[in-house]
Amino acid sequence: ETGVTQSPTHLIKTRGQQVTLRCSSQSGHNTVSWYQQALGQGPQFIFQYYREEENGRGNFPPRFSGLQFPNYSSELNVNALELDDSALYLCASNRDFLLNEQYFGPGTRLTVT
Amino acid sequence: AQKVTQAQTEISVVEKEDVTLDCVYETRDTTYYLFWYKQPPSGELVFLIRRNSFDEQNEISGRYSWNFQKSTSSFNFTITASQVVDSAVYFCALLPTGTASKLTFGTGTRLQVTL
């Protein structure tokens, strides 16, 4: 186990709703990255937070937003859910910019109906 | 822009066979890291190996070995004497060095090992 935890494990939402996913980083890690993994695809980078500030964003629309808290845990918020948002959402944490030592959580599987 | 190609979508082998998973990458960065991850049905990404672009030495860890060839931009992964527990999706990933860099994953290779 990596020490990165995510909640919830699974959830089902309806198109148009909003969802919040949570991630607790490994102890000592101040950087959190979020990835979306659609079925049959590799994970795609959504964005990264470093010390509570967004530090890089992938090709995702603004309805994907995030937060990082003083304890370095993080939230991923998705508004106006679409069917294509159904995916496994992975978070990963690391210390500073040591992305080569990034550890992944178990993921949250989101289903949008 | 970075790109990772895993041309093999799915591979099926019989237990005890050797199997090689291919990974080809593209990057303009001169320094970078390459990774392999295993993703069992549970979904969690399990880290297998990290290789710095400066280090072209091949590595062996038990039944696993990796062949990094910078000249062909390839980082292939071989499992010797495969076992049923090796069944999973395997991802190759690329990380350029730099503070704003991000991991770029390939589309994965599903390995099915049967008795």
Side-chain angles (χ1 to χ4, degrees):
Chain A
E1 291 191 4
T2 63
V4 180
T5 61
Q6 292 185 243
S7 63
T9 306
H10 297 87
L11 75 165
I12 301 173
K13 290 286 189 176
T14 303
R15 190 171 49 184
Q17 285 187 318
Q18 179 265 344
V19 69
T20 297
L21 310 182
R22 294 178 176 84
C23 171
S24 290
S25 58
Q26 182 166 304
S27 177
H29 287 185
N30 52 19
T31 305
V32 171
S33 302
W34 286 91
Y35 295 82
Q36 180 197 64
Q37 186 180 11
L39 195 62
Q41 300 295 316
Q44 300 287 318
F45 175 75
I46 303 174
F47 44 56
Q48 179 185 99
Y49 279 84
Y50 171 65
R51 293 190 173 183
E52 303 179 57
E53 297 286 331
E54 188 178 291
N55 178 52
R57 188 178 182 92
N59 189 25
F60 281 82
R63 60 190 184 82
F64 285 78
S65 63
L67 279 174
Q68 188 177 33
F69 300 99
N71 67 354
Y72 303 129
S73 65
S74 177
E75 285 183 356
L76 164 64
N77 299 290
V78 187
N79 294 322
L81 283 167
E82 300 176 0
L83 296 179
D84 284 349
D85 295 333
S86 295
L88 179 68
Y89 289 85
L90 295 161
C91 102
S93 75
N94 56 275
R95 184 169 57 86
D96 295 331
F97 297 106
L98 298 176
L99 292 169
N100 56 319
E101 296 180 8
Q102 191 176 71
Y103 296 99
F104 283 85
T108 292
R109 191 166 297 280
L110 171 65
T111 301
V112 182
T113 62
Chain B
Q2 335 293 330
K3 186 177 179 181
V4 176
T5 301
Q6 294 180 256
Q8 304 151 308
T9 305
E10 190 160 346
I11 301 175
S12 290
V13 299
V14 177
E15 202 175 41
K16 296 183 184 175
E17 284 185 5
D18 299 347
V19 59
T20 295
L21 310 182
D22 298 332
C23 173
V24 174
Y25 62 93
E26 296 175 30
T27 181
R28 293 179 181 173
D29 291 81
T30 55
T31 60
Y32 48 88
Y33 290 95
L34 293 164
F35 299 79
W36 275 96
Y37 289 89
K38 174 181 180 180
Q39 189 174 47
S42 61
E44 186 165 357
L45 281 174
V46 178
F47 168 82
L48 295 178
I49 188 172
R50 172 183 64 236
R51 173 63 70 209
N52 187 304
S53 56
F54 288 124
D55 182 2
E56 287 193 68
Q57 273 198 328
N58 292 328
E59 182 160 338
I60 297 175
S61 176
R63 296 185 297 108
Y64 296 168
S65 62
W66 291 270
N67 183 353
F68 176 30
Q69 295 204 349
K70 212 167 177 178
S71 60
T72 56
S73 297
S74 66
F75 186 43
N76 296 337
F77 172 31
T78 297
I79 302 175
T80 303
S82 59
Q83 300 176 1
V84 172
V85 293
D86 296 327
S87 297
V89 181
Y90 291 85
F91 289 96
C92 179
L94 168 69
L95 174 70
T97 57
T99 58
S101 62
K102 60 179 178 68
L103 267 177
T104 297
F105 286 83
T107 51
T109 297
R110 180 176 298 279
L111 174 65
Q112 184 74 32
V113 182
T114 56
L115 293 171

